[in-house]
Amino acid sequence: MESRQYFDTVAPQWDNLRKGFFSEAVREKAFAVAGVEPGRLAADIGAGAGFVTEGLLKRGLRVVAVDRSEAMLAEMKNRFGEDGAVEYRMGEAESLPLEDSSVDYVFANMCLHHVDSPPAAILEMARILKPGGRLVITDLDRHDFDFLRTEHCDRWMGFDRPDVARWFAEAGLADVEIDCVGENCCAASQCGCGAATVSIFAALGTRP
Ligand SMILES: C[S@@+](CC[C@H](N)C(=O)[O-])C[C@H]1O[C@@H](n2cnc3c(N)ncnc32)[C@H](O)[C@@H]1O
C-alpha cells in the first residue's frame, strides 16, 4: 500500500494506534526544546489526527496544521472544530502551503521518515519560520526493522543524527542541537515478524 493511502485508511484509528507507538512525553520534549510561549503561531507538519496540535492548543498557541491526507485533516476538524485556533491546510511537506517567515515554531513529529526528500522538507520548514523562530523535529533514530517499511509504509528506516544536523545547517538554521527524547517508538509486526523498539531524537534549529 502507498503511504498516502495507508494514512487515509488508518486515520479514524490513528489516535488509538499512536498511543501504542509512543506517548505524550514525545510532544512534551518537543515543546520544552522549542521553549513554546502562549499566544504564538506554530505549524504542525504531518499533523495526522492532531497529537502535536492538541498539546499546542493546551499551551495557548494557534496552529496551522498541514497534512497530505484528507482523512487525517477530517479527523482533526472533528476534534478541534473549524472556528477556533486551528487552520487546516492540505499540502506536502516538501512544498508547504505557507508563506515565507510566517510562523514562530514548526513541529514535525514522526513525519520526516515518510517524506520522499527529508532535506527538501527541512528546507521548507526553515523557509516558513520567522527570524528567531524554531524548528523541532522528533523522529526515529536509524533502525533495521524492515516491517515498519512494509507494514506501516515508512519511507526511511530512521535517520543518523549527523545527517539530520547537516540538513538543518544546509537549511540555514543555527544553534542546531539533537538530543534523545528519552522515549521509544514501539510496534509489533502484524505478521509475527517481531517487535520494534526504536529510540526517538528531538532536533532543534533556530532561524537567524
Ligand atoms: C506517523 S503519522 C504522524 C502524525 C502526527 N504527527 C502524530 O504524531 O501523531 C505521519 C503523518 O504525516 C503525513 N505525511 C506523510 N508524508 C507527508 C508529506 N510528504 N507531506 C505532508 N504530510 C505527510 C501522513 O499523512 C500522516 O498523517
Side-chain angles (χ1 to χ4, degrees), residues 69 178 196 202:
S69 160
I178 305 190

Side-chain angles (χ1 to χ4, degrees), residues 147 151-152 187-196:
F147 76 87
E151 294 183 17
H152 296 265
S189 158
Q190 289 153 12
C191 68
C193 315

Side-chain angles (χ1 to χ4, degrees), residues 3 7 14 18 22 44-49 51-52 66-69 72 91-94 109-111 113-116:
S3 166
F7 283 112
W14 179 254
R18 192 275 308 155
F22 51 86
D44 180 6
I45 311 302
F51 170 66
V52 168
V66 179
D67 205 286
R68 72 174 179 185
S69 160
M72 283 293 197
E92 293 287 335
E94 292 108 319
N109 183 52
M110 303 299 161
C111 177
H113 66 264
H114 288 286
V115 306
D116 283 338

Side-chain angles (χ1 to χ4, degrees), residues 16-105:
N16 269 334
L17 291 172
R18 192 275 308 155
K19 286 176 186 151
F21 296 148
F22 51 86
S23 78
E24 274 75 11
V26 178
R27 72 183 183 199
E28 293 310 317
K29 175 74 177 185
F31 300 155
V33 161
V36 292
E37 292 173 5
R40 303 276 187 170
L41 179 63
D44 180 6
I45 311 302
F51 170 66
V52 168
T53 292
E54 179 190 52
L56 291 168
L57 293 176
K58 283 182 181 164
R59 279 162 188 72
L61 286 90
R62 292 169 296 121
V63 182
V64 181
V66 179
D67 205 286
R68 72 174 179 185
S69 160
E70 202 165 357
M72 283 293 197
L73 290 175
E75 284 300 311
M76 290 192 81
K77 287 175 187 170
N78 277 341
R79 283 178 82 183
F80 308 121
E82 296 193 53
D83 302 320
V86 188
E87 233 187 88
Y88 308 92
R89 298 200 190 163
M90 186 142 160
E92 293 287 335
E94 292 108 319
S95 55
L96 289 171
L98 282 105
E99 289 182 9
D100 293 357
S101 313
S102 55
V103 300
D104 299 294
Y105 308 99

Side-chain angles (χ1 to χ4, degrees), residues 99-142:
E99 289 182 9
D100 293 357
S101 313
S102 55
V103 300
D104 299 294
Y105 308 99
V106 176
F107 294 95
N109 183 52
M110 303 299 161
C111 177
L112 199 68
H113 66 264
H114 288 286
V115 306
D116 283 338
S117 172
I122 290 170
L123 199 61
E124 273 294 273
M125 295 179 204
R127 175 185 67 76
I128 65 171
L129 279 174
K130 296 175 185 172
R134 292 180 190 149
L135 166 63
V136 179
I137 291 182
T138 36
D139 215 293
L140 303 179
D141 283 310
R142 169 84 62 200

Side-chain angles (χ1 to χ4, degrees), residues 126 129-133 171-175 205-208:
L129 279 174
K130 296 175 185 172
L173 297 171
D175 304 324
T206 302
R207 180 156 178 206

